[in-house]
Amino acid sequence: MKIKITQKQKKGMLAVSALFFMLAYISLCFNNNIWTDEAFTVELLQSDFRGILHGTASDVHPPLYYLIAKCFTFVFGSSLLSLKVVSIVPMALCMTWGAGIVWKRFGFHAALLFNLLLGVIPCTMEYAVQVRMYSWAIFFVTFMALWSYEAYEEGKWRYYAGVILTSAACAYTHYFAFVSAILIYGFLFLALVFTKKKELLKWLVSVAASLFLFAPWMPYMRLQVKGVSRNYWIEEITGETVKEFFPFLFGMDIPWTSAVWVLLLLTGIVCALCMIAQREKKAGIYALLLVLVPVCTALTGIAASALLRPVFIVRYLLPCMGLVALFLAVSLSRYAGRAVYCALLLFLFCAGLVDYGQSVYREYEWTHTEETENFLKEHVGENDIIAYNYESYKFIYDYYWDDSQKVLWQDVDLDTDRHDTIWLLDTIYWPAPTDEYLAAHGWKRTFMGNYGIEHNDFKIYEITRK
């Protein structure tokens, strides 16, 4: 007997799926762990709006995410928990508002798959709770793609207005989200050229409006590009680097999970081609274009890295993960029978549990942050100092200790220093002082253990006078 699900029940299922992931995300926020980029965010948000604009202009990213986060701090405060929740908001919007648009255009099964896929793609759960711009970039890129389809189908100015705003937001959030926005505009142009030439004027107006909105930041973007072209931290992209793209985005602790994701993506492509062949041409082409955006974004980053200097890492594909979820949802929902659909839901449910388990381990057990804080709180005396020997991690240490408690090791003069004890955080990026060197200056060291903060691992040495 065929079970009929009412509209109210369908809404409830979508709401439950969104609520499930929101609660999962929130449960990952109750820690005091930050890594270098998050520490930069926290420090920048201590500035006013003018300071944020100046700080981002001197950095390599545009300012919109930081301005959004700053606005949230006026209401919810600037605690680390509040800042993590800021990153959850766009995921909630994708799984509610976005899923509603998917339901209207592609059906309930596609909408439910979209929520589950967006939630269980391994990299999204990790970055949905980080104090960075990636979840907001996912939101803007995904909604630009959704409203582009609405603009193509309906031809109404309100949808083109949505495309204008989200494309500008992409450009102001992350430069590779900007690349994805340019690609979406390009694919919309091709669709209009081949089927609706009369709509090209609206497309031209939209592009002009997007450029107008982004124009105030273009001079700063040019300066940032020049600065990156002279010196940047990203290493050369090699074949081995590219091989790591897929495991970073889709790798999980379940055996053969990567193979399953490959199979899903290939099946989605086949389904999209079948849609084109069986008179669902628009939806099929749309699905293929969705998956082409992250592919072409990656190719653009690799090409820029080869022609200029390395500027692309796999993390910069995160803004496209909503499009990957949307591509799979649209294509797989069309040809999945009840048994296949239920099997797919079961896989996604199991994958979600494993992904959540990995995230819990990563946020609460893998890092030594709490252990490190407790150790130093217990051992550092009033006339002691915490020294660190890798200057690039200063953003992290600034979050945990003020300037009166810490100093860069290279600035320590052992002949004149009057502190009782120096607690050295020794990373692998700078040579540790040898016993001979310390002895020559009247000091000795004692190894206290391996500690760390988020991705920053170090040894702690107690350095005292002989």
Side-chain angles (χ1 to χ4, degrees):
M1 183 178 67
K2 188 175 182 180
I3 301 175
K4 186 175 181 180
I5 304 176
T6 65
Q7 293 291 99
K8 186 175 181 180
Q9 290 171 328
K10 290 178 179 178
K11 289 180 180 179
M13 292 172 70
L14 286 178
V16 167
S17 66
L19 181 62
F20 172 82
F21 286 110
M22 294 312 104
L23 292 176
Y25 293 151
I26 290 172
S27 72
L28 299 173
C29 294
F30 297 95
N31 58 49
N32 200 34
N33 308 328
I34 59 172
W35 58 293
T36 313
D37 287 4
E38 289 181 297
F40 173 81
T41 301
V42 172
E43 182 167 306
L44 186 61
L45 291 178
Q46 296 175 7
S47 307
D48 56 16
F49 288 113
R50 183 186 294 274
I52 289 173
L53 291 173
H54 177 75
T56 48
S58 304
D59 188 44
V60 294
H61 292 302
L64 181 57
Y65 159 72
Y66 303 105
L67 297 175
I68 292 172
K70 184 67 177 180
C71 291
F72 271 82
T73 63
F74 292 135
V75 180
F76 301 105
S78 57
S79 69
L80 187 59
L81 175 61
S82 298
L83 296 179
K84 287 176 180 283
V85 172
V86 172
S87 296
I88 297 175
V89 171
M91 302 302 290
L93 292 174
C94 282
M95 292 184 182
T96 51
W97 188 11
I101 298 173
V102 176
W103 185 3
K104 180 190 77 171
R105 187 58 66 182
F106 302 105
F108 167 74
H109 290 125
L112 182 59
L113 275 182
F114 171 72
N115 273 4
L116 296 178
L117 286 160
L118 182 61
V120 305
I121 292 175
C123 60
T124 58
M125 187 169 290
E126 177 180 0
Y127 282 88
V129 296
Q130 293 204 355
V131 189
R132 296 299 289 161
M133 73 287 294
Y134 296 108
S135 59
W136 283 97
I138 288 173
F139 169 71
F140 293 131
V141 171
T142 303
F143 268 75
M144 183 184 179
L146 288 170
W147 278 329
S148 292
Y149 192 80
E150 294 295 316
Y152 173 81
E153 283 288 307
E154 303 293 336
K156 295 180 179 178
W157 277 110
R158 68 170 181 265
Y159 296 122
Y160 279 100
V163 173
I164 293 167
L165 292 175
T166 49
S167 62
C170 287
Y172 274 109
T173 303
H174 194 282
Y175 289 131
F176 278 97
F178 188 15
V179 171
S180 299
I182 292 171
L183 289 167
I184 294 171
Y185 256 137
F187 291 145
L188 178 58
F189 172 77
L190 292 176
L192 294 175
V193 164
F194 284 108
T195 59
K196 296 184 177 182
K197 289 185 175 65
K198 293 181 180 180
E199 295 291 319
L200 284 173
L201 178 60
K202 292 179 180 177
W203 182 90
L204 287 169
V205 171
S206 298
V207 171
S210 297
L211 291 174
F212 175 78
L213 290 175
F214 189 62
W217 190 254
M218 284 184 179
Y220 301 104
M221 184 181 75
R222 285 196 291 268
L223 291 175
Q224 290 171 329
V225 170
K226 288 181 180 179
V228 166
S229 64
R230 290 192 296 266
N231 181 35
Y232 202 38
W233 59 270
I234 293 179
E235 297 180 357
E236 181 182 358
I237 296 179
T238 64
E240 290 300 316
T241 307
V242 175
K243 285 181 183 179
E244 292 301 315
F245 283 10
F246 199 87
F248 175 89
L249 298 171
F250 299 101
M252 300 178 70
D253 287 342
I254 305 177
W256 301 101
T257 303
S258 294
V260 174
W261 282 105
V262 170
L263 180 61
L264 285 177
L265 291 168
L266 292 176
T267 303
I269 292 172
V270 172
C271 289
L273 293 173
C274 290
M275 291 164 67
I276 295 171
Q278 297 180 9
R279 298 183 181 180
E280 289 188 274
K281 185 177 292 186
K282 286 186 290 187
I285 292 174
Y286 179 64
L288 290 178
L289 294 179
L290 287 171
V291 78
L292 274 176
V293 172
V295 172
C296 293
T297 300
L299 291 175
T300 301
I302 293 170
S305 298
L307 295 173
L308 302 174
R309 64 165 294 112
V311 294
F312 182 75
I313 55 175
V314 63
R315 191 166 70 238
Y316 295 166
L317 283 179
L318 285 167
C320 295
M321 288 302 101
L323 303 189
V324 173
L326 186 54
F327 153 69
L328 289 172
V330 172
S331 57
L332 296 179
S333 64
R334 283 295 192 272
Y335 291 95
R338 183 183 298 177
V340 174
Y341 190 79
C342 290
L344 182 57
L345 292 182
L346 179 62
F347 165 73
L348 294 177
F349 178 75
C350 293
L353 291 179
V354 173
D355 192 15
Y356 178 69
Q358 290 179 185
S359 298
V360 169
Y361 175 78
R362 185 167 47 242
E363 294 292 338
Y364 295 107
E365 298 178 35
W366 175 66
T367 176
H368 298 288
T369 303
E370 185 176 357
E371 184 182 352
T372 300
E373 286 189 283
N374 290 338
F375 175 87
L376 292 173
K377 184 177 181 180
E378 178 182 348
H379 288 85
V380 176
E382 289 186 7
N383 198 38
D384 296 352
I385 196 71
I386 299 170
Y388 58 96
N389 63 356
Y390 187 51
E391 191 171 6
S392 295
Y393 283 159
K394 184 178 185 298
F395 285 124
I396 300 177
Y397 303 137
D398 283 345
Y399 174 77
Y400 294 96
W401 307 288
D402 59 43
D403 286 339
S404 65
Q405 294 177 286
K406 67 183 188 302
V407 65
L408 182 65
W409 171 256
Q410 290 86 311
D411 292 337
V412 174
D413 186 343
L414 294 176
D415 294 323
T416 61
D417 191 274
R418 293 293 179 264
H419 292 101
D420 294 337
T421 301
I422 301 173
W423 299 92
L424 175 62
L425 313 184
D426 172 38
T427 70
I428 62 173
Y429 304 109
W430 191 270
T434 63
D435 291 329
E436 294 75 15
Y437 174 81
L438 292 172
H441 293 274
W443 296 75
K444 64 179 181 179
R445 68 176 183 174
T446 303
F447 175 65
M448 305 303 293
N450 294 307
Y451 291 86
I453 297 172
E454 195 70 358
H455 303 301
N456 169 21
D457 293 325
F458 45 75
K459 299 175 181 178
I460 294 183
Y461 287 101
E462 179 186 25
I463 299 177
T464 57
R465 288 183 176 83
K466 296 182 66 174

